[in-house]
Amino acid sequence: MSQSHIKVLYIIGWCRNGSTILGNVLNEVKGFCHTGELSFLWKNAYGHGSNTFCGCGEALTRCGVWSKVLEEEAPAGSTPEAHAREIVRRQTRAVRTRHTWSILREGTRSEDVREYAATLSRTYRAIAKATGSHTLVDSGKLPSEAALLPHVEGITPYFLYLVRDPRAATHSWTKTKQYVVPMSALRSTSYWVGFNLASEAVIQRYPERSFFLRYEDFIAEPASVVGALLEHVGARDAVNPVQGRTVHLGKNHTVTGNPDRFRSGPTLLRPEDEAWRKELPARARNITQALSWPLMARYGYFQPRRTQAREPVPSNTAASGGKEELRGTGTDR
């Protein structure tokens, strides 16, 4: 692990798990920058992704932060578009979720993995320079990319394994939201299982730098959880931006994520929306539970409805999370 002053808190887990709002809350901590899902930077910047806009509202190639990052990261002798295409090809060939175990086992033995690690190193340094930040929050959620971070020069990685009830995730995926398209219960839950199994592999390898959190526990006591996360990354003296249930969200520079990332101003962190209990069709609920029940039980989603933190894998890290103890255990798209 590098001891550089640039820290990267990487959020892993399946999509629709609350990573965008949690990342944007942390973005309000002095010295922190939420990048959004950084792995989509190159694909989105040049018009081949689902959304080409930064969270600040500008196109990525015109944004004051990302235009500098893209220019500084790109090697000499290559056009930005050609360089972006090569990065996306490397991601596809070697940094998909199914590659998580080979990266954990072999590190940067593969040329594609090695070159992508170098790309991330240049990019993280460029982001820190452009934003004046010492801690970057990357909500990429790719377990394979998280597995690679200990091999990325110039950063100190930390992992936040964020889980949400798969039935709530399935319900969320049934809805169209701007550039986010719907997904079936079968597909969503298959991804949920695959991403969580791969995420567990990462935090089992690096338990001392990992933090396990259920979205439901975050939204139940947001100020306590954010305080615990700040302590996890060695920023216990930082000012917690959450007061009760309210946080003032300023401008952010997220590459992509939930479309709510474009909102700013005073924001109420409402308790968990359990609309899925009434709105999720029985067939979709049954499919979700049938595919995910072993992990659901492990994470406490078959318990009576009350907020409680769960520890899915052994850990030697603990952080205070209010009344409960939140223990750190830390798309294939």
Side-chain angles (χ1 to χ4, degrees), residues 72-88:
E72 187 164 329
E73 186 278 320
S78 175
T79 66
E81 292 82 359
H83 177 56
R85 286 195 297 271
E86 181 57 29
I87 290 175
V88 172

Side-chain angles (χ1 to χ4, degrees), residues 101-142:
W101 290 269
S102 64
I103 293 173
L104 288 173
R105 187 172 56 249
E106 301 172 4
T108 57
R109 186 178 303 177
S110 158
E111 180 182 357
D112 282 327
V113 174
R114 187 165 57 251
E115 289 298 323
Y116 188 57
T119 295
L120 288 178
S121 178
R122 294 192 301 271
T123 304
Y124 283 134
R125 289 200 301 267
I127 296 169
K129 179 180 177 181
T131 62
S133 303
H134 54 69
T135 302
L136 309 180
V137 181
D138 185 342
S139 53
K141 294 181 285 297
L142 294 170

Side-chain angles (χ1 to χ4, degrees), residues 143-163:
S144 53
E145 198 164 82
L148 181 58
L149 292 193
H151 304 280
V152 173
E153 183 180 357
I155 71 165
T156 300
Y158 295 85
F159 308 107
L160 170 56
Y161 177 19
L162 185 59
V163 176

Side-chain angles (χ1 to χ4, degrees), residues 18-70:
S19 63
T20 298
I21 183 60
L22 182 52
N24 279 353
V25 169
L26 291 171
N27 189 68
E28 296 308 311
V29 179
K30 185 177 180 180
F32 281 56
C33 173
H34 179 210
T35 68
E37 299 175 20
L38 182 63
S39 59
F40 285 99
L41 172 61
W42 298 272
K43 187 174 184 179
N44 284 358
Y46 297 103
H48 302 292
S50 60
N51 184 266
T52 62
F53 289 92
C54 172
C56 71
E58 290 284 352
L60 290 167
T61 52
R62 293 197 301 269
C63 167
V65 169
W66 294 116
S67 59
K68 294 178 182 177
V69 170
L70 289 164

Side-chain angles (χ1 to χ4, degrees), residues 167-188:
R167 295 165 295 190
T170 293
H171 177 255
S172 181
W173 276 110
T174 64
K175 302 179 181 301
T176 301
K177 199 170 186 179
Q178 293 184 35
Y179 50 84
V180 179
V181 298
M183 188 180 295
S184 70
L186 177 62
R187 189 178 183 194
S188 167

Side-chain angles (χ1 to χ4, degrees), residues 218 220-228 240 242-245 269:
F218 159 61
E221 296 188 66
S224 295
V225 169
V226 170
N240 191 326
V242 183
Q243 300 297 320
R245 287 196 162 275
L269 301 173

